[in-house]
Amino acid sequence: MCFFINYDAEDILRQATESTLRYERGDPISALDGVPIAIKDEIDCSPYPTTGGTKWLHKVRPCTGDACCVMRLRSCRDIIVGKTNMHELGTGLSGINPHYGTG
């Protein structure tokens, strides 16, 4: 199963390390500090392209920054673990994606 379309292992480890250090100091940013969360591939989340499960969407509509919901998650210091697979353009029920596999 292909759950993730994009992720950056080094960035995930960096975020987790920073969260661990905040907790060790007794200074977490919020109750969500360090909680891992994945972003659906239809939501803008830099530095990842937003493909909507397609091979072309990111070329005609590039991701230029974080969506409001992602900005709020980052401000709480959730760990953004990547962009998750989805049915192409969200137009189906099966979860089968011909480009990225079954999600």
Side-chain angles (χ1 to χ4, degrees), residues 19-97:
S19 178
T20 299
L21 293 173
R22 286 190 295 274
Y23 272 97
E24 287 174 350
R25 289 191 311 261
D27 192 28
I29 300 295
S30 73
L32 296 176
D33 193 339
V35 174
I37 188 163
I39 307 299
K40 202 68 164 172
D41 195 35
E42 63 190 342
I43 299 171
D44 286 342
C45 178
S46 291
Y48 307 110
T50 300
T51 70
T54 70
K55 289 289 191 183
W56 56 268
L57 183 63
H58 67 286
K59 295 173 186 172
V60 297
R61 189 198 162 277
C63 175
T64 58
D66 288 337
C68 181
C69 58
V70 174
M71 286 190 282
R72 290 183 182 188
L73 290 168
R74 286 191 198 276
S75 72
C76 293
R77 298 303 191 266
D78 284 81
I79 298 173
I80 307 293
V81 296
K83 301 283 289 275
T84 58
N85 198 356
M86 60 181 284
H87 200 283
E88 192 171 15
L89 296 175
T91 58
L93 302 172
S94 66
I96 296 171
N97 183 304

